[in-house]
Amino acid sequence: MAVTSPERRVWWNEPVERVELIWIGVALLWGLFMFFFMIAWHFIGGQNLSNETYRVVPSAYQDKVDAFAQKYQVGEEAGTPVVRPPAGVDVYLLARLWQWWPVLQLEKGQSYRLHLSSVDWQHGFSLQPTNINIQVHPGYEHVVVLTPTEAGEFGIICNEFCGIGHHTMTGKIIVVDSKAGAK
Ligand code: CUA
């Protein structure tokens, strides 16, 4: 029984069982393999995005996004501007309680520099269903190079709890294939 003392008082000098050593070895090697494979995933899995990050004053970021949206707005969806920037330019997305703003319309196969920041709290940018996740903080501007490979509508949800309206914090990126339309 566990409540009785061990038969030999000094039990910890016993040699470790061979099978146990093997298991510790296997677990250690697997752990190391997984650790270094994080670097490999960056190249072969397209994960762990490389991004640039800059300090920014939230109100200055908001001004940039407003100017961007005004310049390239092509429509409106439920009160949110739909913005279609020309291929290759810097595109801006703003997180705030509780929306991703504006709706972006991008072209398949073109690369964009996507800027991301928050003007209030911490939010989580999660692009569905591709499973790209980026933390979005006020005061920091992330720049990610984005090249849509598929046409369609992609939802953005917030995956960092940000208060009572967290579950309503959604947005959208529309990817259009202009080549397919021309045929
Ligand atoms: Cu923003 Cu949750």
Side-chain angles (χ1 to χ4, degrees):
M1 264 174 67
V3 287
T4 56
S5 0
E7 274 171 39
R8 263 168 299 182
R9 223 178 65 79
V10 183
W11 51 269
W12 54 85
N13 283 339
E14 297 286 313
V16 180
E17 204 66 47
R18 217 180 122 235
V19 179
E20 197 168 353
L21 278 178
I22 291 170
W23 274 117
I24 291 169
V26 167
L28 178 73
L29 286 177
W30 181 245
L32 286 173
F33 174 76
M34 297 281 276
F35 178 76
F36 288 106
F37 221 76
M38 285 196 290
I39 302 161
W41 281 129
H42 176 83
F43 297 102
I44 64 174
Q47 296 182 17
N48 305 334
L49 304 176
S50 314
N51 61 54
E52 301 160 35
T53 315
Y54 304 96
R55 281 258 188 189
V56 69
V57 177
S59 60
Y61 187 76
Q62 174 150 11
D63 291 346
K64 278 199 276 188
V65 184
D66 284 345
F68 161 77
Q70 206 167 27
K71 192 167 174 192
Y72 300 118
Q73 180 168 3
V74 290
E76 202 182 279
E77 230 177 74
T80 304
V82 177
V83 178
R84 180 165 191 173
V89 304
D90 288 53
V91 301
Y92 292 84
L93 193 62
L94 177 151
R96 66 180 154 217
L97 303 171
W98 287 281
Q99 59 177 182
W100 296 99
W101 195 95
V103 172
L104 295 174
Q105 206 178 94
L106 307 178
E107 208 166 297
K108 182 185 160 184
Q110 301 287 346
S111 293
Y112 301 85
R113 282 167 58 81
L114 173 66
H115 295 242
L116 275 169
S117 190
S118 163
V119 293
D120 39 49
W121 294 358
Q122 181 182 351
H123 301 281
F125 172 90
S126 179
L127 189 65
Q128 302 297 325
T130 52
N131 199 22
I132 291 172
N133 289 284
I134 300 163
Q135 293 286 331
V136 180
H137 298 263
Y140 289 93
E141 184 172 345
H142 294 272
V143 187
V144 182
V145 176
L146 184 80
T147 310
T149 53
E150 230 178 279
E153 285 197 7
F154 297 85
I156 305 165
I157 58 167
C158 179
N159 61 3
E160 193 68 51
F161 184 71
C162 56
I164 195 86
H166 163 69
H167 62 289
T168 66
M169 186 167 169
T170 58
K172 200 193 280 180
I173 294 179
I174 302 164
V175 178
V176 291
D177 191 348
S178 60
K179 285 190 192 113
K183 272 177 199 166

